[in-house]
Structure formats: structure tokens, C-alpha cells
Amino acid sequence: MDSDKRTKYIMVGIVAFSVLFASLSFYFYQAFFSPNTLVEADSPVSFYISTGADFNRVRDDLIEQGIVQDLVTFSFVAKVMNYQERVLPGHYRISPRLTNRELVRLLRSGNQTGVNVTFNNVRLDVDLAEKITRNLEMDQEDFLRLLRDTVTIARFGFEKETILSVFIPNTYQVFWNVTPEGLFDRMYREYEKFWTAERRAKAAALGLSQQQVSTLASIVQAETAKVDERPRVAGVYINRLRINMPLQADPTLVFAMGDFEIKRVLNVHKEIESPYNTYKYTGLPPGPINLPEISALDAVLNPESHNYLYFCAKDDFSGYHAFATSLSEHMNNARRYQAALNRSKIFK
């Protein structure tokens, strides 16, 4: 081959290599550094990777949910960055215009975003299990089993009747794929955080344990929805406890009956045989009858000082109560309320 032809072939090879190199460089740049998420501006989306999911599942979910535009380049970058063997479960917030490199780095890091768990208006452990796991990966039955595992809860100093004391109604952020044990540990840390040295001292001054405070607070909460009235109601029950007088709290009878549709407690309900029957038995029942809010807990820890021993609903239907120091005064208040109730039925 003469030198001219050799030179020509070399030049063609150089040109071909340059074109190929430029093409590969452009593809590489596009794959790694061009935006590839179909997420609207200022509107991150949630993406969930289930425990045990593999890369194929992640890839399919990304395309099915319309998050990734070009699946081929995403898969290529994931392979180069060794993500395919490092899939981590969790809840991830995907921002607009992420590149494949940024998206893979986020998912590979395991740096997931917490989700909110909120629970209130809870009476039973089944209610709590349903509400607290609503936004989580775990099955509510798994959490319920933990709540009923006497060995586990005993390690924390609780029994089946008092375990709900741990859970203080609020909104908390936890990882979506948290385990039942991890969730319980988190709630117990929140419980310990709530019970500051000052609150523990106040409970001790009342002669109550932390769990007893929760039990009494649950009764106070069931008696009145008026937050500003709760310290006064708490004061009534503290006065009764001090003189060993039965609490005679109607909500405890409703709890004992297990029929939360009961609107009015009758004498027949007062005969039920249950440790939650505060008409039959003095002192506090074995555990809370609901999950008391912080306002109810603090009402018990800071009860209003007075001599009241009785209260009943006010006859103005305001939701507040009329308080009395004697039974005769209380009966007069009750008659006024009953008369107002009868009048309201007549004019309806």
C-alpha cells in the first residue's frame, strides 16, 4: 500500500474515531448531566421503594409513575454507579429536573424523607394500630401484635392495660419503612421527652405515677372537650381520690361496656362487673380509657385548687359544666339540666 493510501486510511480512521468519541461523549454527558425527571417545577413527588424491592421493581415503578423520562439512560447510569445492587427501601422526595446522576445518588444514599404519623381520638389498641400505621409500610396487625406482646412491653415497665400511656397524641415524623419495634422505640423516646423532671415532680406531689396521670387525664378528657375547663374537672377527681371517694366517672362505664355508642349512662350500666366501673370501685381504673392529649395530661398535673366534688352539664348546653361542693347542690344542678333538656325536646 502506497503512502498516500495509508495516510488516507489513517485520516478516515481518525475522523471515524473522533465522531464515535464525540457521540459517546455526548451520550455520556446527556445520560449523566441532563435533566431526566418529569416532575413539575416547585412540586416534588413522593416515591416509595418497598422493603425487598430490586432494581427492576424500582425501574418499573419510576416509569409507571411517570417520574423518569428516559429509562435507558437511567438504567445505564444506575449500572455505572453500582445502584442496581444497592437498592435501599424508603420514601424519597424527588425534585424537578433531577439528572440521572442526581436521582441515582439520592436513591442509593438511602437519604429518605420522613412521613407524618398522626393519631388522636383513640380508645383501644386496635384504633391506635390502624391510625399510627396509616401512612407507613408496616401492616397494622404487626404493630398490634407488638402492643399485645406482654414480654416486650414489660421491658419498658408497662402492662397491657397501661401500654397506651406511651402514646401521646401529636404529629410525628418517622421513616416510612420503620419496623414495629423501631416505631415503638420512637414513641417511647417521645414519652420520655414529655415526662420532664418538672412533670415527674408534679405527679409525685399528687401521689400519682406517670401511668396514673395518663389514666386520670383520659377520664378528664372524656368528661370535657373544653380545654380551659379540664384543670377544674381534674381538681374534682383529685379531691375525690384524696378522700377515697369513688370517681363515679360515666366514661369509664362506657369503656367497660365496650359500647361507645352509649349516649347516656343508666343505673343498669353501673352494675357491670369491671375494674373500670368507677361507681363500684374506688381509686383509678387499671389504665387509660383513651389517649389523653397534652392539655389533659397537663390539666391533671396542674389541677385547679377548689373544694368541688361534683359536676354536671350546664343547662345552657354550652359544653361547660356546673360544679358543686355538696350532693344537694349537685342534684339541683342536675335537675336544672334535665329540665332544660326536656324543654329542648318539646320545642324540637
Side-chain angles (χ1 to χ4, degrees):
M1 182 183 296
D2 57 38
S3 60
D4 288 342
K5 286 186 176 181
R6 185 180 298 110
T7 301
K8 181 178 180 181
Y9 286 139
I10 291 173
M11 292 301 297
V12 170
I14 291 174
V15 170
F17 176 79
S18 298
V19 171
L20 179 61
F21 180 78
S23 299
L24 289 175
S25 297
F26 179 74
Y27 179 80
F28 183 87
Y29 180 85
Q30 287 287 98
F32 275 81
F33 300 108
S34 293
N36 194 34
T37 56
L38 298 170
V39 179
E40 295 181 6
D42 302 321
S43 181
V45 299
S46 289
F47 182 66
Y48 298 89
I49 301 177
S50 301
T51 300
D54 60 11
F55 175 74
N56 290 334
R57 179 73 267 170
V58 172
R59 182 193 59 199
D60 292 346
D61 287 345
L62 284 170
I63 200 69
E64 287 174 10
Q65 296 174 33
I67 295 174
V68 167
Q69 180 176 14
D70 186 340
L71 196 58
V72 174
T73 58
F74 171 79
S75 299
F76 170 71
V77 172
K79 181 67 174 177
V80 172
M81 296 178 69
N82 296 318
Y83 173 61
Q84 296 185 0
E85 290 76 35
R86 297 179 59 183
V87 173
L88 296 174
H91 164 241
Y92 300 89
R93 294 287 284 171
I94 299 179
S95 302
R97 297 184 59 77
L98 287 186
T99 65
N100 287 320
R101 176 171 173 267
E102 291 169 330
L103 178 56
V104 171
R105 180 181 290 174
L106 169 65
L107 300 180
R108 191 182 65 173
S109 71
N111 185 24
Q112 57 175 305
T113 301
V115 298
N116 290 335
V117 293
T118 301
F119 49 91
N120 49 33
N121 298 322
V122 170
R123 292 191 181 96
L124 305 172
D125 56 4
V126 290
D127 303 328
L128 174 63
E130 188 275 325
K131 291 186 177 183
I132 202 171
T133 63
R134 186 173 294 163
N135 293 334
L136 302 178
E137 181 186 30
M138 79 173 73
D139 187 272
Q140 68 183 63
E141 291 299 323
D142 292 335
F143 192 70
L144 185 59
R145 275 192 292 273
L146 183 144
L147 290 178
R148 294 177 176 179
D149 184 343
T150 55
V151 174
T152 297
I153 63 179
R155 291 206 302 267
F156 292 86
F158 292 86
E159 299 175 343
K160 63 179 181 179
E161 294 85 1
T162 60
I163 188 59
L164 293 189
S165 303
V166 172
F167 300 87
I168 299 175
N170 211 329
T171 297
Y172 304 93
Q173 270 215 339
V174 301
F175 287 142
W176 173 73
N177 60 320
V178 65
T179 63
E181 293 78 12
L183 179 58
F184 183 85
D185 287 347
R186 168 64 189 284
M187 292 298 100
Y188 185 75
R189 290 197 300 273
E190 294 293 338
Y191 172 82
E192 291 281 88
K193 189 186 301 182
F194 171 82
W195 281 104
T196 60
E198 180 183 4
R199 284 188 170 114
R200 291 197 302 270
K202 287 181 177 181
L206 293 169
L208 300 174
S209 68
Q210 294 171 198
Q211 295 174 19
Q212 287 174 324
V213 169
S214 295
T215 298
L216 183 52
S218 72
I219 296 173
V220 170
Q221 178 169 289
E223 289 284 17
T224 179
K226 304 295 184 182
V227 172
D228 58 334
E229 189 182 51
R230 286 175 176 173
R232 179 167 292 187
V233 172
V236 171
Y237 286 126
I238 293 293
N239 289 343
R240 288 193 169 205
L241 287 172
R242 284 173 176 164
I243 63 174
N244 203 33
M245 178 180 178
L247 297 184
Q248 297 182 331
D250 289 357
T252 64
L253 294 183
V254 174
F255 184 85
M257 296 290 294
D259 181 0
F260 301 111
E261 300 301 317
I262 294 175
K263 301 300 182 184
R264 186 177 179 187
V265 170
L266 306 174
N267 287 332
V268 65
H269 298 137
K270 299 174 183 178
E271 298 304 317
I272 184 174
E273 181 51 48
S274 169
Y276 289 89
N277 185 340
T278 55
Y279 279 82
K280 272 193 173 186
Y281 300 103
T282 58
L284 290 165
I289 59 174
N290 57 53
L291 293 193
E293 302 164 357
I294 291 176
S295 64
L297 291 164
D298 280 339
V300 171
L301 293 172
N302 302 277
E304 185 177 304
S305 180
H306 54 61
N307 296 320
Y308 296 132
L309 289 172
Y310 306 91
F311 63 94
C312 73
K314 275 191 170 184
D315 58 0
D316 61 1
F317 304 114
S318 63
Y320 285 94
H321 294 80
F323 294 80
T325 58
S326 67
L327 181 59
S328 60
E329 183 185 1
H330 171 65
M331 294 307 295
N332 287 334
N333 290 336
R335 280 192 287 269
R336 278 194 289 272
Y337 174 73
Q338 188 59 52
L341 192 62
N342 291 338
R343 286 195 299 273
S344 69
K345 290 178 181 178
I346 291 174
F347 291 109
K348 274 186 179 178

